[in-house]
Amino acid sequence: MKNVELSDEAFAALQRLAAAKNLPPAEVLASLLGAGRPLSGDHLLFYLVSAEFTTFGDPVDRYLALLAWVARSYACDFADFVSHQDSARRYLMLSRDEANSVRSHNHARQIDGTQFWAVMNIDDATRARFVRRLLEFVGCHDETVTQAIRAVGLKPAESHGFRLLSA
């Protein structure tokens, strides 16, 4: 058995990834290096433990970073999901001034790299439900969804029972 030295940040990231996958850290490392069985799951887990994501200290910045990552990684699905929200159609008929007024009222912030805006004056439970529905829509596993919700500083909702899976 050999030993490897890791920085505190790298070790913390490894522990988070191992906990999300319910595997020992050594097995996660072996999988990442191609020496063990491949990790199944979502690429989102790798983003959640990356230096790019973990440098965001503010939960709002993490929330926006998560949305931006999903919008980049699943552009068509993200656009489809957003366009099918209940409120999506009501904004299409607004003038520019009316749209700016709504944006200001909702404390909306633009999601980096997209034409989409995130409504920021919603409560944490609603925000967590939105993230859960979005990540399930793009095909993330339940464990990844829960890890993502925690990573953005939100409390995971109670188990919602059955989940409809596509074929």
Side-chain angles (χ1 to χ4, degrees), residues 21 38-46 74 139-144:
K21 287 298 196 181
L39 287 177
S40 64
D42 313 298
H43 296 287
L44 176 57
L45 277 177
F46 296 108
Y74 301 95
C140 292
H141 294 95
D142 290 337
E143 302 85 19
T144 304

Side-chain angles (χ1 to χ4, degrees), residues 84-110:
H84 286 91
Q85 297 303 299
D86 293 336
S87 61
R89 287 188 181 90
R90 104 174 73 146
Y91 298 115
L92 293 176
M93 302 303 284
L94 298 179
S95 70
R96 181 181 207 92
D97 289 337
E98 290 169 326
N100 283 332
S101 174
V102 169
R103 185 177 49 80
S104 176
H105 171 73
N106 290 332
H107 303 284
R109 291 190 41 194
Q110 189 163 15

Side-chain angles (χ1 to χ4, degrees), residues 1 10 12 14 18 24-25 80 86 95-96 119 128 130 146 162-163 165-166:
M1 174 109 12
L14 177 61
D80 190 34
D86 293 336
S95 70
R96 181 181 207 92
V119 174
F130 177 80
T146 301
F162 298 105
R163 179 173 158 195
L165 301 176
S166 62

Side-chain angles (χ1 to χ4, degrees), residues 62-74:
R62 285 180 171 230
Y63 174 68
L64 291 170
L66 173 68
L67 294 180
W69 184 89
V70 174
R72 278 191 315 271
S73 301
Y74 301 95

